[in-house]
Every structure is written in structure tokens, then in C-alpha cells.
Amino acid sequence: MRVDLFIQNVNIYNSYFKRFIPGNAAVLDGRFLYIGPRGADSFEADQIVDGQGRYMVPGLVDIHLHIESTMVTPDTFSYGLIKNGVTTIVPEPHEMANVFGLPGVTEMIRASKHCVADMIYAIPSSVPATSLETSGGSIEIEDMDRLMQTERIACLGEIMNYVDVINAPDCKTNQILRHIRSQYPDLIIEGHVPKLLDLDLQRVIYAGIDSDHTHQSIEGMEARIAAGMFIEIQEKSMTEEVMNYLIKHDVSEHFCFVTDDVMPDSFQRRGHLNHIVRKAIGMGMSPEKAIYAATFTPARRMKLSDRGAIAPGKIADFILVSDAKELTIGQVFKNGKKVFDAGKEYKPEGYRHAFPAHFYQSVQLPLLTEADFAIRADAKDGMYHSRVMLVKNGSTFTEEHHGEVEVRDGEVRWEDSPYGLIATFERYGKSGARAHGLIGGDTIRRGAVATTYSHDNHNLLVVGHSPEDMMLAANEVIRSQGGFCVVEDGKVLAMLRLPVGGILTEEPLEEAAAAVQRLREAMESLGYNHYNPIMSISTHSLPVSPALKITDFGLIDVNRGQVVPLLVGSES
């Protein structure tokens, strides 16, 4: 019998028994035809690969991530995925959707269609994330209908505004949920439900949201699994307690591994989903169980029944690895064709100007002055209690702290306080709104950082201790049509230009990774004490992530879903 490819002498991962079984595999027309003991003499193969006793693993499947978090375009992202053994992803482009609305989604899909890795998209469900911010675009129900009719869609992306789901029956999010459940009852609905328990958690599940990828605790994870939720474990949830629970309990069908957000330097240095699998194995999980959680269960969660396993009829996406514990990748095959070989040079194709011209002109904001970093206050002269956004290492969550500041001549004298200034400026030319707050904790101690890479609205966000440095950093970003700039004492320490929508670069992954590493080091040199300072500062404007955040509407009490004033005390 004729086949295109025959792989012999390999240990083949069987997803149904969760173990490796020695054997051979035949591929025809991009799919597995045969798995078993028969040798090459049973087939007329165009190509024979000697596995040399290595391990044959299904292509890894990542069902929750955002390409924009890596700040690169889909083709560059695919290049990074393939060399790390990731052959299928379900990206949710809500960052580009917040900048451009529906065209942001359709252009990301279009830019993905020539990529080697399969990218089956999630519809952004929360654009904007809340009604308490100004974004460049929105995704409405009619946009979702259009995407369902014209594109291959895996799921409705993470529902983030869980506060409104619980408390506002007629809110936009609940209208979306009702529409999806009535019109597309088989469509998977993904969730973002940090810390919810008991009745609130089950009300979210009742609304149709049956997965969670946020930071897990044992209590929260048990409650979710008990209520029928599927858990997507990202790296920040891989604590010793959580991993021991996953190892010791029979919950393999109820969780998978995902990456969510991967910085370019981490992508380049450590890898992608394969890094998560290696880490799980290093924490005591068997390779067989870790592989299952990065192949079979994520594929099944997204109803991708044609992949995630090495079996007859499945798409022939697989990796040959020399060490199952280290997941040392030798070759990667996509649709039965070799697309990566560790022993050969691997170059990205690279596509410049892959997006429409207006995607490169999205920052509609005039240059700022030092006066833009003054906080006006309608209060008498005196000392006041003030809300302070407290940054904490170990999480992108912040805390609300109360400190003392002086008001004099109608201004908050923040420069005389122990705190820095955080400010955000609407950058789409819509309202010109802006907001100011105070910031402390594990953030910078001097200088300034400015960026349009600020989740999810991607307005201009500036943090600093000097109006002069803040102005310089902000204006560098504005002139570059988006990016990330770190400044100290009037000198630019690091700069990453992100001209595509103010959030993506078209530079190769290696160059983007080097630039992000410089950003990270520059921020740390200013005193930023955080495991991921870039993601930390980028989520200061995310009003669905606890506890105190900022948008162009003002300071946001996330748990209450309300704008709150900076000054909370009385004159002393």
C-alpha cells in the first residue's frame, strides 16, 4: 500500500492509554493511516524516517493565548511556535480588536492563513473589557455573527467582565452570552473568573462560562472542577500545591496547560508550551500525563477531534524528541511534512507591512508637555488621604493602599510624596480623556516608563517620578506610533517601537526578544521589583484584574466595577 511517509523504530505516545508504545507509523495525505508493529515492507513509502528509538509526541496544542502579548505578528509567532513543537493554537486577538474593532480580528486571521502553525481563532467577547474605558474599537453581536459565518472559529473568547455577568442582567456581556447560547449552542465559551467561589462562581457557570485560566488556588480549582469547569493551567498557577494536586488526583480530563501571555524574550530563551510541559515534568508530573495535558485534553476542549493524538485519521502533526522528560525536540512535522529540524538552519520568512496602511497610524495623540502630568484637585489646601495603586511582585494584581498627600493651590503635590505618578491618555482621537493616580510598591523608584501596550484599551500609559522624564518617554512613544520607552534623567534607556496598532512589531522574534530584554533590564535598573515588569505595568490599565486599576475614565475599583476618586480622606 502506498503512503507518503513511514516512521519506524519509535516510541509512539498513545493518548488513550497515556503511555508510550514501541512501533511504527504511516502517513497518507497529511493524516496518520496506521500505527502499530507493521514494518516498512507492508507499505510503499515515498519517504522513510528512522526514529532511532526516539519518542513520537503529538504536536502541542495551546488553546488559550494572545499573539499580541508577544508583540509580534502571526508569521513571526508561527516561526517561534513550530521550533518549539506547537502545531495548533487558539489565539484570541482582543488586543487588536480593542484598537481596531472587527477589522483588527479579520486582519489578524488573514495574516495567519499562510502560517505553518494552525491558528483557529477565538472571537473576542469583551471588547472593550468594560464600559469604564475608551478603546479604539468594539466587538458587537453583529460582528460575532459575521465572524461565525465567514471564518473558522474555535470558541467565544474569555468573558472577562464577570462582575457585570453576576450583577447586571442586561449588560452587554450578558446579552452576548444569551445570543451565543441561543444561536450557536455548540460553541465553547471561555472564561476569566479570578477568585470567584460559591454562588458567584456557579452563577457564572450557569451563564454558560465553563472554563477558567486565571491564577488558581487549591480551593478555587476544586470548586471549579466540582462544578464542571475546565481548568487551563498557565505558568503562574504552577505552584507546588497546585501541581501536587494535579499529580495526585484523578483530574486529567478536567485541565490542560496553556501559555496565555508569553513575552518575546521568554519565548526566545525558554520556549512556549513545551516549556510549560518541561516544567510540569520537573515538578513531578509524569511525562505521559504532562503531554496529555498539552495535546489531547486541549484539543478535546476545543472540539478539535482531528488532532491532539497519534491515531488513524488524525492530522499528522508530531514531534520527534530524544528525551521525553526534557522534551528535547529533534524534528517537527506538520500535516506529515517536516517543517523543523534542530540540525538544520531555521529561518523565518518574515512579512513586512502585512497589514493595511492605517494600522500603522493608530496613535492620534498630540505631543505632551510637563503640565500634562499635574494632578488637579478641587480641594482646599491641606493633607489628604489618597488612594495608591500598590504593585506587588508575584502577581499582576494590584492592591489599594491609602497614603497621605498634600494639596496646594489646586494641585496634588505628588512629587513631594513617597509615591510615583501613573497617568493614562486616550489615544484614538475620540474624547481626549485622561486620568491620573498615585502608584507605589514594587514599581520603579525613579525615571519613567511610557507605553501604548497597555491592556486592554491600549491607551498611552505613563508611570514615573519626574514630569520631565514622563514627558520624554511619552513623546518618544507617540512619535513612534506606539511602543515602550524607559527614561531616566532625560536619557532614553530602552525603546521598543510597536508601529502595528501601537502593540506589534514586524521585527524578527530574535530582535524583538533582545529589545524586550533591554526594556526589562532598564525597568529593573529603575527599581522595578517584579517577576515580569512588562506584563505588570501593562495590566495597570486592565479594569477586570483586581484590585485598583486606571483607565481614561479614572481610578477603577475592580471588585465594585466603579470609578473611585483619588482623594478619599478629609483635610487634616
Side-chain angles (χ1 to χ4, degrees):
M1 180 178 182
R2 189 196 72 80
V3 295
D4 300 316
L5 175 67
F6 189 79
I7 308 98
Q8 61 186 10
N9 188 25
V10 284
N11 295 293
I12 301 171
Y13 182 75
N14 186 290
S15 302
Y16 310 104
F17 289 127
K18 298 189 187 73
R19 69 172 186 258
F20 287 97
I21 301 174
N24 308 311
V27 175
L28 177 65
D29 296 333
R31 294 177 180 266
F32 292 110
L33 171 68
Y34 172 80
I35 312 294
R38 284 182 177 269
D41 54 352
S42 296
F43 302 93
E44 184 181 335
D46 294 343
Q47 180 186 5
I48 297 176
V49 173
D50 185 355
Q52 300 176 326
R54 290 179 292 175
Y55 298 88
M56 186 174 178
V57 176
L60 305 184
V61 179
D62 191 343
I63 61 170
H64 183 87
L65 60 82
H66 311 284
I67 295 173
E68 304 99 315
S69 293
T70 310
M71 308 183 199
V72 297
T73 51
D75 63 286
T76 302
F77 198 77
S78 174
Y79 160 81
L81 291 173
I82 291 299
K83 68 178 182 177
N84 286 292
V86 183
T87 53
T88 299
I89 62 171
V90 178
E92 193 213 309
H94 69 242
E95 314 296 357
M96 284 295 270
N98 269 281
V99 179
F100 295 113
L102 179 62
V105 179
T106 56
E107 288 297 329
M108 285 291 284
I109 293 174
R110 186 185 63 80
S112 302
K113 287 184 175 175
H114 65 268
C115 295
V116 176
D118 286 337
M119 300 184 181
I120 307 167
Y121 277 75
I123 296 176
S125 64
S126 305
V127 180
T130 70
S131 59
L132 301 174
E133 58 196 308
T134 303
S135 63
S138 65
I139 297 295
E140 306 299 331
I141 288 175
E142 55 267 28
D143 299 321
M144 297 179 182
D145 287 337
R146 178 178 170 185
L147 289 168
M148 289 296 296
Q149 294 159 12
T150 59
E151 308 291 348
R152 184 183 181 190
I153 296 298
C155 63
L156 182 66
E158 58 180 307
I159 298 288
M160 292 192 289
N161 196 352
Y162 58 90
V163 174
D164 278 2
V165 171
I166 296 168
N167 299 315
D170 295 324
C171 71
K172 177 182 174 180
T173 302
N174 278 322
Q175 291 175 28
I176 289 170
L177 285 168
R178 287 193 291 269
H179 180 77
I180 293 296
R181 293 181 74 182
S182 65
Q183 299 300 311
Y184 313 102
D186 295 328
L187 188 67
I188 296 152
I189 301 174
E190 292 283 272
H192 172 115
V193 287
K195 297 186 177 182
L196 290 189
L197 292 170
D198 197 43
L199 178 58
D200 284 346
L201 173 65
Q202 298 196 26
R203 288 179 67 186
V204 166
I205 298 172
Y206 181 82
I209 302 162
D210 63 350
S211 79
D212 183 33
H213 69 277
T214 59
H215 197 167
Q216 299 296 326
S217 65
I218 297 297
E219 180 188 22
M221 190 165 58
E222 276 198 323
R224 282 155 176 71
I225 293 173
M229 253 192 173
F230 186 80
I231 308 299
E232 296 164 3
I233 300 289
Q234 56 174 296
E235 186 169 13
K236 67 184 180 184
S237 288
M238 295 175 72
T239 62
E240 184 177 351
E241 294 78 11
V242 166
M243 291 305 297
N244 285 340
Y245 184 93
L246 296 175
I247 291 166
K248 293 177 180 178
H249 293 78
D250 184 18
V251 293
S252 291
E253 309 308 314
H254 306 294
F255 81 94
C256 74
F257 292 122
V258 299
T259 57
D260 198 4
D261 302 300
V262 178
M263 290 287 102
D265 52 341
S266 175
F267 199 174
Q268 176 66 15
R269 184 179 71 255
R270 301 191 304 175
H272 198 258
L273 190 59
N274 57 325
H275 162 69
I276 301 292
V277 175
R278 282 197 304 267
K279 182 169 182 175
I281 296 169
M283 296 181 75
M285 185 174 284
S286 70
E288 293 82 358
K289 191 169 183 176
I291 289 168
Y292 191 77
T295 55
F296 192 78
T297 49
R300 189 170 58 186
R301 164 67 185 168
M302 288 296 152
K303 300 180 181 177
L304 301 174
S305 59
D306 59 354
R307 65 197 70 205
I310 298 172
K314 306 295 184 185
I315 293 175
D317 295 350
F318 63 93
I319 319 163
L320 293 178
V321 304
S322 57
D323 186 329
K325 288 186 177 180
E326 293 296 326
L327 217 67
T328 309
I329 297 173
Q331 288 87 33
V332 178
F333 288 74
K334 183 78 187 71
N335 299 315
K337 298 184 183 299
K338 186 166 66 174
V339 291
F340 172 78
D341 190 320
K344 298 181 180 179
E345 188 176 18
Y346 178 57
K347 290 184 177 181
E349 294 184 16
Y351 293 86
R352 294 297 181 95
H353 302 291
F355 293 87
H358 71 279
F359 274 50
Y360 302 86
Q361 298 293 325
S362 65
V363 180
Q364 303 298 315
L365 185 65
L367 296 179
L368 303 181
T369 69
E370 290 181 31
D372 291 307
F373 299 99
I375 305 179
R376 310 295 177 190
D378 184 15
K380 296 178 181 179
D381 289 359
M383 299 299 296
Y384 289 82
H385 291 292
S386 171
R387 287 184 170 84
V388 179
M389 184 187 298
L390 204 65
V391 180
K392 302 289 287 184
N393 192 1
S395 175
T396 54
F397 295 167
T398 61
E399 296 178 3
E400 180 176 318
H401 172 74
H402 291 178
E404 280 202 338
V405 293
E406 181 184 7
V407 173
R408 191 183 339 134
D409 299 329
E411 287 188 11
V412 175
R413 299 293 174 168
W414 65 269
E415 292 176 85
D416 300 327
S417 77
Y419 309 112
L421 175 68
I422 182 168
T424 186
F425 302 84
E426 186 273 312
R427 59 104 160 174
Y428 300 104
K430 292 185 173 182
S431 67
R434 57 189 59 191
H436 301 79
L438 300 181
I439 191 166
D442 296 326
T443 185
I444 59 172
R445 306 286 179 170
R446 56 193 177 276
V449 182
T451 185
T452 48
Y453 180 78
S454 54
H455 301 303
D456 277 341
N457 50 66
H458 298 294
N459 286 312
L460 177 66
L461 182 75
V462 192
V463 173
H465 288 267
S466 154
E468 297 88 352
D469 284 349
M470 296 178 80
M471 179 185 72
L472 174 58
N475 288 340
E476 285 295 315
V477 170
I478 293 170
R479 291 189 187 98
S480 299
Q481 278 299 305
F484 231 118
C485 185
V486 183
V487 169
E488 183 181 20
D489 295 333
K491 179 182 178 182
V492 174
L493 302 183
M495 177 75 194
L496 171 64
R497 290 173 175 80
L498 301 171
V500 184
I503 59 175
L504 301 182
T505 176
E506 291 183 311
E507 298 301 320
L509 180 60
E510 291 80 0
E511 293 184 23
V516 166
Q517 180 62 29
R518 290 191 293 270
L519 282 175
R520 189 188 304 272
E521 292 170 355
M523 292 172 70
E524 290 171 349
S525 76
L526 298 182
Y528 216 121
N529 178 33
H530 198 279
Y531 77 97
N532 191 341
I534 293 173
M535 186 55 66
S536 170
I537 199 169
S538 298
T539 53
H540 291 351
S541 55
L542 184 60
V544 294
S545 175
L548 185 67
K549 296 298 173 75
I550 190 170
T551 74
D552 60 308
F553 280 41
L555 291 173
I556 308 297
D557 182 320
V558 174
N559 293 327
R560 289 194 288 161
Q562 295 178 358
V563 177
V564 292
L566 176 64
L567 302 180
V568 295
S570 59
E571 185 174 346
S572 60

